[in-house]
Amino acid sequence: MLLRHTPKEVIAREGLTINPAKTCQPIGAMYAALGIHGCLPHSHGSQGCCSYHRSTLTRHYKEPVMAATSSFTEGASVFGGQANLLQSIETIFAVYEPDIIAVHSTCLSETIGDDLQQITKKAKDDGKIPEGKYVIYASTPSFVGSHVTGYANMVTGIAEQFAQSTGEKKDQINIIAGWMEPSDMREIKKISKELGVKIVLFPDTSDVLDAPQTGKHEFYPKGGTTIEELKSIGDSSSSLALGCISAEPAAIALDKKCKVPFETVDMPIGLSATDRFIMSLSKAAGVQVPDEITAERGRLVDVMTDMEQYFYGRKVALFGDPDQLIPLTEFLLDLNMKPIHIVSGTPGQRFEKRMKEILRRIPEANFRNGLNADMFLLHQWMKNEPVDLLIGNTYGKYIARDENVPFIRFGFPILDRIGHSYFPNIGYSGSLRLVEKILGALMDRQDREALEEKFELVM
Amino acid sequence: MEAMNHYPDPSKIREELVQKYPAKVAKKRTKSIIINDPESIPEVQANVRTVPGIITQRGCSYAGCKGVVLGPTRDIVNIVHGPIGCSFYAWLTRRNQTRPETPEHENYITYCFSTDMQEENVVFGGEKKLKQAIQEAYDLFHPKAIAIFSTCPVGLIGDDVHAASKEMREKFGDCNVFGFSCEGYRGVSQSAGHHIANNGVFKHMVGRNNTPSEGKFKLNMLGEYNIGGDAFEIERIFEKAGITLVASFSGNSTVGQLENAHMADLNVIMCHRSINYMGEMMETKYGIPWMKVNFVGAESTAKSLRKIAEYFDDAELKARVEEVIAEEMPKVKAVIDDIRPRTEGKTAMLFVGGSRAHHYQDLFTELGMTTVAAGYEFAHRDDYEGRHVLPSIKVDADSKNIEELKIVADPELYQPRKSEAELEALKEKGLEINGYEGMMKQMMKKSLVVDDVSHYESEKLIEIYKPDIFCAGIKEKYVVQKMGVPLKQLHSYDYGGPYTGFVGATNFYRDIDRMVNNPVWKLIKAPWETAGNPKGAELEATYVTQ
Ligand code: SF4
Ligand code: SF4
């Protein structure tokens, strides 16, 4: 057994987190900043954090992930990191020539009390930021929130620091992407195009973290929301935030700064959440939903009806991030499955509230988020009440193997498979892919374990 | 040997590498970019701060301490005291394999433990939460040992992990609890963490169990972390040769082994950078000499085995070692004879770690490939130039704050395994006893040595040299491959390996052959990119009527 020391009996823990279902804020900030064209993320702290974040993102995407660090040593930790950041800004503009440096803080610089706003202002006053270039920032100490809130903080920083209102409204809608994959962002753009809605999507990591092999390394790949687009978001007619934890804060900030009304919807994962997304976007833009989208929806529902017997009552355990888990759980219910164990390390009451609503039909379901809501607990729950399927990031494979449970990789990070960056999990077609995966996992097991006389040809 | 005449003048290359840097940065980097001369080895600036803003390969002290040295020991519960990230990223990502004695034996390597420090812990102190976490780990697992690792904020807020560990150790009585002040800002790279780890393991583990171990030829293997099963292959060879491995620091190791390590009669060191402190301290306290070996490369493995036999100076062992070599080498030869015609004359670059950039050159030599440039990520001058430069290395502010333990001979256990005269005689025979010659002596004249290579410099080097393969880590992997050059990861081995010993050498030959000769590198361009865009060209009738 890989996790041989995990006991069935659950004892409450207060000090020790074991096998976390979250990581720290800066990696989210780094990911968000990669979704801006010509932007170099910068980690203000010691080298280790930056190295870890780059490594994890690289393992997840199998793509170059460029980011710089303030390389704190003990001196900086005692006297403050201003000198390090100023030198970083100078070096980066000289050597790596980005249009934007997106600085995020780390535990260390936050504990010291470095003020990123003040330091970037000083950089500007000292003439260290070349004409037409930008340094933006977000505060992301990881003793608060999780990687998801770190993402939200950087997206908020991007919105606040770029948006301008010229007083003249533009016929466009902002779509603020919650933490989703490049493939998902590409899908959002595709759906909007089909709907005939002009959007500004930010951040947008498509064509950044799924760049083609060309024999040339593009330090700043083709993709990413442009500065031009970002400046214009203050003039957009409205914003649609995809995800209440990872996207809504930016929508609120934009509304405050430029009076852009917004609506928050769930990430369009699964049938119902995609329905709401399509409704909201078409309403906001005043467009009719084209037949092609209705047909795409119909194909998803068709599979759900055709294969309904395989879903019914199947118990599922899942872990990951709130903005994904909320619509995913709802989708599992739409499929007539039974999500019974759910954890997310990301804190916040919204999760609990939404889960309570969604899971009304399953009173025995366990769900927990925030401190000590970790994979160790999830595994213990699974030992007490076994499931038919586990859904979560790569770390779930240890539980899946020990408990002999079919496992679907979903979320962040996925370190041992490809696909997530290329094939979406959102929208009707992304949901159809999820359904295919769920069926595949369940049926492969049935095929593998069925008695010889019960082995089915047609399923 | 002086090759590479078809490459530009190395001093020109150096100029080009630093050209784009601000003047002060250029000046600093120039001292770390050196044109090699194995006859008269020039000084390399190493183990100095990375310039803020430079995209570096380096990580932090915590990574060196917890990730590298302590991580591979399977029956310690390693609790990371700090916010969640540091522990999360070091969770199973280093591939240090381990093989518990039975399915019931302890193995915590698959687990990730953290105090998940919150804002109130930063403001009001985190010791209480830490002690609570230690208690919970003890209640849940009753492990033999619990180690605590401080991450950056911990040092700043003044949590005393050592006091907390001591308190809990005394409270439990049957569980060894100890702490490491390995905050990421200490030193300039992982290297500081290695030193801190060595100190802690030496203080808190080595010497706790004086039961003499069985076996005639007893040694410890230092600085071998069992990435991809490297230690398994070395264990196999030792067993075959009749050599007893008392403890491994720390691949595939247990607490029990480390506590008993001082009962061995020799320490052999693989990764000099990360573990030489342990070798030295054990020599001073217990009288166990250490010797540099290298089990990367089939020839190097044979050489290292012979050195070990020479050290023990036993005819039977020497004969056994020769038998093992005679048995293993033909299998290696069969593979290399097949592969070498396809790899001969190709070039490699290695920028990685603190010893691998040296060791792996042996494998490339066996493949008939030339190392045109190499450098370490976190090594010191002695790893480049040899240990004789140690007295001339200036201790700067960044190294000063890393504790140097004051070690004296143990009144009871000190027992020199060899007399001064015997050691001298062994050195005469070419054994690197308490010594290491470094990387540069082995590299060609005019090859380039670059310490802490930056992203910018590596791209330039690739453009200039167009190597057939580049060796580095995960952060560099896909950048280099996007440039059309295969990258072999020498931290994780691209999830392959082992690469040590005889079996490992053949694994490596096959992997490199596959990588440098993979047809995919010729498929990068679409046909219309190479042959001109068909758009606009006249359609030609190509069908044939009958
Ligand atoms: S938790 Fe804090 S110190 Fe650790 S990696 Fe994340 S930002 Fe760095
Ligand atoms: S630099 Fe500090 S905070 Fe960052 S990973 Fe290392 S120990 Fe953790």
Side-chain angles (χ1 to χ4, degrees), chain A residues 24 43 45-53 72 106-108 142, chain B residues 59-63 80-83 85-87 89 150-153 182-186:
Chain A
C24 67
S43 164
S46 315
Q47 276 152 204
C49 311
C50 185
S51 173
Y52 277 137
H53 304 150
F72 276 35
T106 58
C107 299
L108 178 57
S142 16
Chain B
C60 67
S61 160
Y62 156 78
V80 181
H81 184 36
C86 314
S87 193
Y89 303 113
S150 300
T151 68
C152 287
C182 55
E183 288 87 350
Y185 56 74
R186 293 194 194 274

Side-chain angles (χ1 to χ4, degrees), chain A residues 174-191:
Chain A
N174 302 323
I175 296 190
I176 304 172
W179 183 322
M180 42 173 81
E181 296 295 352
S183 53
D184 298 329
M185 297 185 182
R186 199 184 288 287
E187 185 70 10
I188 295 285
K189 289 190 285 190
K190 193 190 120 216
I191 294 172

Side-chain angles (χ1 to χ4, degrees), chain A residues 344-363:
Chain A
S344 173
T346 299
Q349 284 163 4
R350 299 277 282 273
F351 180 80
E352 205 190 321
K353 206 173 139 246
R354 288 297 308 282
M355 278 299 177
K356 234 186 216 146
E357 274 165 32
I358 294 171
L359 287 166
R360 303 186 292 277
R361 269 165 45 201
I362 309 189

Side-chain angles (χ1 to χ4, degrees), chain B residues 24-232:
Chain B
K24 259 170 76 185
V25 181
K27 199 166 152 223
K28 182 168 183 186
R29 285 304 301 153
T30 306
K31 294 187 201 145
S32 290
I33 305 173
I34 301 300
I35 300 150
N36 190 40
D37 182 355
E39 304 300 315
S40 135
I41 293 175
E43 179 176 333
V44 182
Q45 173 185 262
N47 192 34
V48 294
R49 290 178 196 179
T50 304
V51 176
I54 288 289
I55 299 181
T56 170
Q57 301 182 331
R58 283 174 168 177
C60 67
S61 160
Y62 156 78
C65 181
K66 194 262 170 182
V68 176
V69 181
L70 270 297
T73 306
R74 62 177 165 265
D75 50 356
I76 309 182
V77 167
N78 286 326
I79 302 179
V80 181
H81 184 36
I84 197 68
C86 314
S87 193
F88 179 85
Y89 303 113
W91 183 13
L92 284 166
T93 43
R94 272 190 55 80
R95 291 194 78 232
N96 32 248
Q97 302 183 351
T98 201
R99 205 180 266 157
E101 297 81 340
T102 70
E104 280 73 45
H105 270 78
E106 281 171 283
N107 177 15
Y108 301 106
I109 288 183
T110 47
Y111 289 86
C112 167
F113 303 99
S114 167
T115 55
D116 190 8
M117 205 173 219
Q118 297 298 299
E119 191 151 27
E120 70 261 23
N121 310 126
V122 172
V123 177
F124 302 111
E127 271 177 50
K128 207 174 135 223
K129 189 166 194 193
L130 172 62
K131 282 189 260 182
Q132 172 80 20
I134 298 172
Q135 183 69 52
E136 287 168 4
Y138 179 77
D139 293 343
L140 269 167
F141 309 113
H142 293 283
K144 294 186 195 76
I146 297 176
I148 311 301
F149 301 87
S150 300
T151 68
C152 287
V154 168
L156 284 187
I157 61 174
D159 276 4
D160 188 342
V161 299
H162 306 287
S165 301
K166 184 161 177 273
E167 187 188 320
M168 298 310 276
R169 180 170 68 230
E170 283 164 6
K171 181 177 173 193
F172 301 148
D174 62 351
C175 174
N176 189 8
V177 187
F178 45 92
F180 294 88
S181 291
C182 55
E183 288 87 350
Y185 56 74
R186 293 194 194 274
V188 299
S189 69
Q190 290 94 313
S191 169
H194 302 145
H195 195 166
I196 294 163
N198 277 237
N199 290 349
V201 170
F202 190 75
K203 254 202 301 207
H204 297 289
M205 300 179 82
V206 175
R208 281 167 61 95
N209 176 0
N210 297 334
T211 318
S213 38
E214 312 245 315
K216 206 163 154 197
F217 312 109
K218 295 181 293 189
L219 53 70
N220 299 317
M221 170 100 104
L222 271 52
E224 163 45 61
Y225 302 108
N226 203 21
I227 310 297
D230 278 354
F232 296 150

Side-chain angles (χ1 to χ4, degrees), chain A residues 173-178 180 202 238-252 261-268 277 280 323:
Chain A
I173 291 173
N174 302 323
I175 296 190
I176 304 172
M180 42 173 81
F202 74 95
S238 65
S239 304
L240 199 56
L242 306 185
C244 61
I245 315 283
S246 56
E248 190 184 82
I252 296 175
F262 71 92
E263 186 189 356
T264 304
V265 292
D266 288 325
M267 263 183 209
F277 167 70
S280 293
D323 285 339

Side-chain angles (χ1 to χ4, degrees), chain A residues 2-6 14-17 19 22-23 51 63 69 74 95 97 143 213-217 395, chain B residues 20 53 55 63 83 89 91 103 105 107 110-112 114 116 119 136 185 188 401 459 475 481-482 525:
Chain A
L2 290 161
L3 299 166
R4 61 184 69 174
H5 302 290
T6 306
E14 277 161 23
L16 189 65
T17 292
N19 302 348
K22 68 167 178 184
T23 183
S51 173
E63 284 293 314
T69 159
E74 188 141 358
V95 183
E97 304 176 72
F143 39 78
Q213 171 63 282
T214 60
K216 189 167 180 287
H217 172 232
Y395 284 99
Chain B
K20 210 174 169 191
I55 299 181
Y89 303 113
W91 183 13
H105 270 78
N107 177 15
T110 47
Y111 289 86
C112 167
S114 167
D116 190 8
E119 191 151 27
E136 287 168 4
Y185 56 74
V188 299
N401 52 30
E459 281 214 11
K475 299 193 292 294
Q481 298 209 152
K482 278 276 194 288
K525 289 276 169 253

